[in-house]
Amino acid sequence: MSGVVVSLCLLAVFVLLCELSRRILTKLLAPRGLCLSAVYAVELVSTLQLCICNLELRLLGEVGRLQPQFCLSLTYLASVVHGLTFHGALGNPCSTLEYTYRGRLTARSGVLRMVCQFMAASVARTMLQGLWALGLSDLHLRHTLQGFQCISPIHTDTHTSLVLPGPLVTAAAVELAGAFAMQTAFTHTHTMDRRYRVHAIAALTATLTYAGGKMTGAVFNPALALSTQFSCSGHSFLDYCLVYWLAPLLGMMCSVLLFDQMLSGRAAPYRPLLANKRK
């Protein structure tokens, strides 16, 4: 139980440090006419926060073997915290592409945001492995002695194998469906008050994690997948690209194109979860 307490304390410290960094960077850069630089800095720090928290939560679930209900509660709480602290950051390449498609971002700005997201995803795992190596808890020490090993969650069971042929197709379908559901929720909750909207999105995130976590880890985010899934053994880089990059992108595109056609001419202008007017 002490390992769980240490991990929860570390998560709180990470979030506080990232929030402090966002505020300091914004105050330093914005008054000097570097608003765009501040936006990209916030994007990098927020994606770093997202990846670090998910890596630590994954460690609790796999190495700590906590009860699924407790892990889902932590997933919900972390999603709420991210939604309230991101300050306009997207933290997801799929969302960035959707913003660009809608004209809310220029192509250059979209590309730079995605660069920040993938950079943060790469740095997050290296940072956390260094922290785990300190052995602050028995969970960290055990994971370090195992060489930070993780096994790919991509697999199928007897029920899904009856419907879809093979674990890769099943996993891709799960990630596509999850990304479709998330994007649809973003689209149809745009009129909600932000204080309630983050809870609705967090509840959906926890639900999708419960539904698809055993088959893919339920990521629905290419940058987050790079940090949490691509280093795991069991599948090739191309397999991971198919499941964690291509499938979520297709799911997001299907939702956007479908509901844009259905709601054309009568929908209110779309406002993402954490709208940021600065481009």
Side-chain angles (χ1 to χ4, degrees):
M1 191 63 186
S2 61
V4 177
V5 174
V6 170
S7 291
L8 294 179
C9 291
L10 285 176
L11 287 175
V13 170
F14 284 140
V15 172
L16 290 175
L17 288 177
C18 288
E19 179 65 12
L20 182 62
S21 299
R22 279 186 290 261
R23 293 179 181 273
I24 291 176
L25 289 170
T26 301
K27 288 184 178 180
L28 287 177
L29 297 175
R32 300 180 181 180
L34 300 174
C35 292
L36 281 177
S37 298
V39 169
Y40 301 135
V42 168
E43 189 72 54
L44 194 150
V45 172
S46 298
T47 307
L48 187 68
Q49 172 183 315
L50 174 68
C51 294
I52 285 177
C53 289
N54 275 270
L55 283 166
E56 190 68 27
L57 289 175
R58 177 173 178 165
L59 178 69
L60 285 175
E62 294 184 356
V63 180
R65 301 188 181 280
L66 300 181
Q67 291 295 323
Q69 296 87 343
F70 184 63
C71 291
L72 288 174
S73 299
L74 291 178
T75 299
Y76 171 83
L77 180 60
S79 299
V80 171
V81 171
H82 297 326
L84 293 175
T85 61
F86 267 27
H87 298 286
L90 301 177
N92 188 337
C94 288
S95 298
T96 305
L97 289 173
E98 183 252 344
Y99 264 53
T100 306
Y101 165 77
R102 294 184 185 278
R104 296 183 61 88
L105 293 175
T106 64
R108 178 178 179 275
S109 180
V111 169
L112 289 176
R113 280 183 182 247
M114 285 190 285
V115 169
C116 291
Q117 291 158 4
F118 282 111
M119 283 179 57
S122 300
V123 169
R125 187 166 190 87
T126 302
M127 286 181 56
L128 213 50
Q129 285 181 350
L131 184 61
W132 288 335
L134 297 177
L136 299 177
S137 71
D138 57 335
L139 294 180
H140 292 174
L141 182 59
R142 197 184 320 161
H143 194 46
T144 302
L145 293 176
Q146 293 172 351
F148 310 114
Q149 182 181 9
C150 64
I151 300 175
S152 171
I154 297 177
H155 63 276
T156 186
D157 55 31
T158 55
H159 297 292
T160 55
S161 63
L162 294 176
V163 181
L164 295 171
L168 278 181
V169 177
T170 301
V174 169
E175 288 292 309
L176 187 151
F180 180 92
M182 291 298 297
Q183 181 59 49
T184 302
F186 291 155
T187 302
H188 290 277
T189 59
H190 69 276
T191 57
M192 292 179 63
D193 186 281
R194 177 171 173 265
R195 294 171 298 177
Y196 306 119
R197 194 179 187 213
V198 293
H199 288 280
I201 297 300
L204 176 61
T205 301
T207 301
L208 293 175
T209 300
Y210 175 78
K214 292 182 178 180
M215 289 177 283
T216 66
V219 185
F220 320 133
N221 181 331
L224 179 59
L226 178 66
S227 182
T228 60
Q229 309 295 340
F230 275 59
S231 61
C232 295
S233 60
H235 289 85
S236 69
F237 179 80
L238 290 179
D239 291 341
Y240 289 133
C241 288
L242 168 66
V243 174
Y244 295 113
W245 285 2
L246 181 60
L249 176 61
L250 291 176
M252 179 276 292
M253 291 174 59
C254 288
S255 176
V256 169
L257 295 176
L258 174 64
F259 289 102
D260 275 3
Q261 290 295 321
M262 291 178 60
L263 304 177
S264 178
R266 60 188 181 87
Y270 175 71
R271 176 173 63 83
L273 178 62
L274 293 173
N276 182 11
K277 296 183 179 179
R278 298 172 296 178
K279 302 298 189 293

